[in-house]
Amino acid sequence: MKYLFLLLFSCSYVLASTLYFKDGNKIEAQILEANETHVTIARSKDLQQFRLKIDSLTIDSQKRIELYHSEDRYSSIPSAKLPLDEKVLKSYVSYIDELIDTNLRSKRLQKTKEIDDYTYARRLYLTTIGRIPTQKELLEFIDDRDSNKKDKLIQKLLNSSGYVNHQLNWWTDMLRVKDRVNGTNINVGAVYRKWLRDSLYSKKPYDQIVRELVGSSGKLLDGGEAISYYLRDRGMQEDNLSHTIRIFLGTRLECAMCHNHPFDKWTQKQFYEMTAFTSGIGNVRLRDQGRAIGELSRAINADGDERAGLFNNWRNQVRDSIQFGIENNGTGTIKLPRDFAEDDGNPGDTIMAKAMFTPKPTETTQGESRKVFADWITSKDNPRFTTMIANRIWKRIFGAGLIEPIDTMMDDTIANNQKLMKYLERLMVSVNYNLREYERILLNTRLFQRESKKQDYKTLEGYNFEGPILRRMTGEQLWDSLVTLVYNDIDEDPRIHLHNQQDYSSMYNKYKDMTGEEIYADFKKLADENPGNRNLLGIIYSGSKKAKPIKDRNLVRSSYLQYPAPGGHLIRQFGGSDKEQIDNSNSEPNTTQVLNLLNGFVETNILNKKDADFIKLMQEEKSKTNQVENVFLSILSRKPKSNESTLLKQYVDEKDGFKHVSWILLNTHEFIFIK
């Protein structure tokens, strides 16, 4: 018995933590169990057990318990009835504003003034659907006398196709969605984009989208579109794992890929224990289809047909149409790499999948490791999943996160308004990760209705939200706003043009069950029947209905353009992401931006279009005063001041007067910034 007590005592001492209390006291204890409100400990010196309130401890001690010991963090929070009724919505909103105001008072900071309805409408349209409002949309909101008109407009926009298009840009920047991946011969990114777009249209909750991506398996063009998540990093399993943890859990592990993390507690072995969850993805290829393609290659080489170059090109397209897929749900094991050099393992050792922080998976992971991993990541009790998305959306709307940088969280990371951060996490759980409803809450706050903070602030980490941060439009917002001036409804079906986003499902269905010899015989038949036609997909499609061509097919929503936009495109010149790194867009100024607004794209594609919707509206007005007012409403979403009207009326009657007035307004800071 004496030896048992010594053993227990020594174990408790080894596992003991120093917990610090807000009153200055501390205790050495083993943490036995914890939930959101209480922790049970065994004091190290005598193993006596105590149950303490979490909030009696310092923030650092609370964080440690939350990350590694809490087993019932948020799963007990009841789900709110959606959509939120007006009373519940107001209670959520008012408490957020109260927490912001309390923080400002404690720091003797002054909040900014409330914005007018014109500025509010413009900000709301740009934030929710990524473009400025049309003149008609703006005036409808201004003339609305409903006391609840702001929330009514918020709901309308959040449930529009414009929201899906704008949200898609955000998702694809985060997930680095590209049309062509790692030398593939078809636009596999189009499959990824379509799956994401359909998920957004069907209003899948955020946690469900993440769970389906991380836990995906199947054939790319036959119900397994979500494997696009792994196809994006084909052949780079370790990189994919580090991206997963950074995007969804806000923690950077890439340093631990090669050695123990120099700035955080993670070891190289722990990195590979995490990577073991995704083992089994390989090069995201299906074995049977790979054999058929090998047989096809041999048939082409053996035949000696003079059209072998054409057939090899067709083979590559068929290969990429039928071969991509994942045939298992995760092996749950991995071997340590050859260059593993730490003391807790040896190169070539087989290790099992293991999570870094609680709640750890309790199921066996072998044979189902990716699904277990997906469930663990998206668990309401996962200490970082909810924090990350609640903070990410907060930053998207207000310009800065409560935790900055948003994807570099460590054990000691504390939000600059911890009470607000916790409340936002609870809201995210209560709306079951419905991003539309969560955004609706934030968009209804008084904070969103205050003037942007124009004065300098020291750092994003210490920003206190006197108002939203003044920001320039993103490249996509600027593009979509300019296109809206030409075609007021850029989200209607006639304005949808799928740039280089061919659907290869017909090729998949035609060849998926053929042997290599059968595919080659079909190639020769098609080449004989269509001499000189090298477009295999077009030949297969020949009997199907062609899409109706649209006017100005390049002036469409940014989410329908090539991904990423070409290097010289206006979107890229204004900081649009190259899709190589996570969230890789920027707002850095450069000379080409000025030139494009002065006499480049804007001159050619917007101002020279006499049939542009905003030009036609301006020309319909009879008086100079109304003409100037009209163009202000279309471009700047407000009426002109008297001195502005007087100044610009003199240009209207000149040659190309409408063009000159529009050019002046489009080149103002007021146009490209979100006030």
Side-chain angles (χ1 to χ4, degrees), residues 77-94:
I77 295 175
S79 298
K81 182 180 178 182
L82 303 182
L84 298 171
D85 65 45
E86 189 174 340
K87 184 178 179 181
V88 173
L89 175 67
K90 286 183 176 179
S91 69
Y92 291 166
V93 167
S94 62

Side-chain angles (χ1 to χ4, degrees), residues 5 21 50 75-77 96 117-118 143 150 249 265 273-274 282 336 347 358 451 474 524 603 645 658 672:
F5 176 82
F21 292 84
F50 301 91
S75 57
S76 59
I77 295 175
I96 291 174
D117 279 358
Y118 289 95
D143 294 338
K150 289 182 177 178
L249 300 184
K265 64 181 293 181
E273 286 173 341
M274 288 289 287
L336 293 178
T358 57
E451 288 182 357
T474 64
K524 298 186 72 170
E603 175 85 12
S645 182
F658 296 121
I672 66 173

Side-chain angles (χ1 to χ4, degrees), residues 292-336:
I293 294 300
E295 186 178 292
L296 171 60
S297 296
R298 290 189 292 274
I300 294 172
N301 293 333
D303 191 29
D305 193 298
E306 62 181 8
R307 297 168 296 183
L310 172 66
F311 295 151
N312 281 324
N313 178 274
W314 286 4
R315 174 206 59 204
N316 293 342
Q317 294 181 51
V318 171
R319 179 188 64 203
D320 289 358
S321 299
I322 68 174
Q323 76 165 348
F324 291 129
I326 301 176
E327 298 175 298
N328 60 75
N329 292 321
T331 66
T333 63
I334 195 171
K335 289 186 176 181
L336 293 178

Side-chain angles (χ1 to χ4, degrees), residues 201 490-498 548 550 556 560:
Y201 266 120
I490 62 174
D491 294 306
E492 64 177 348
D493 288 345
R495 294 305 308 162
I496 294 176
H497 177 64
L498 299 176
K548 184 179 179 181
I550 69 170
V556 296
Y560 286 109

Side-chain angles (χ1 to χ4, degrees), residues 284-296:
V284 199
R285 290 179 178 174
L286 303 167
R287 284 189 295 272
D288 288 347
Q289 280 71 17
R291 283 193 287 268
I293 294 300
E295 186 178 292
L296 171 60

Side-chain angles (χ1 to χ4, degrees), residues 79-84 155 158-159 163 167 170-171 199-200 202-209 380 385-386 389-390 393 397 424-442:
S79 298
K81 182 180 178 182
L82 303 182
L84 298 171
Q155 292 191 72
L158 291 178
N159 289 287
Y163 173 80
Q167 189 87 338
W170 177 74
W171 272 96
S199 296
L200 295 172
S202 64
K203 300 183 178 180
K204 285 182 186 176
Y206 173 78
D207 61 331
Q208 182 181 345
I209 293 177
K380 291 179 179 179
F385 180 71
T386 306
I389 186 56
I393 298 296
I397 291 178
L424 294 176
E425 292 168 18
R426 295 183 67 87
L427 287 183
M428 182 63 77
V429 172
S430 69
V431 299
N432 280 317
Y433 300 90
N434 183 315
L435 297 190
R436 283 178 172 84
E437 209 64 28
Y438 179 75
E439 289 182 48
R440 180 187 169 203
I441 296 169
L442 303 189

Side-chain angles (χ1 to χ4, degrees), residues 172 175-182 184 187-196 212-235 240 281 283-284 320 324-326 370:
T172 54
L175 297 174
R176 304 167 301 118
V177 177
K178 297 175 64 177
D179 288 346
R180 296 295 176 103
V181 176
N182 295 343
T184 52
N187 183 352
V188 293
V191 180
Y192 204 170
R193 250 200 276 191
K194 184 178 185 303
W195 185 87
L196 284 169
E212 290 181 10
L213 288 173
V214 177
S216 59
S217 61
K219 300 175 181 178
L220 179 66
L221 292 175
D222 192 6
E225 294 82 0
I227 70 154
S228 298
Y229 181 71
Y230 291 106
L231 183 57
R232 173 61 182 88
D233 292 318
R234 184 163 62 102
N240 177 271
I281 57 174
N283 277 318
V284 199
D320 289 358
F324 291 129
I326 301 176
R370 274 198 321 283

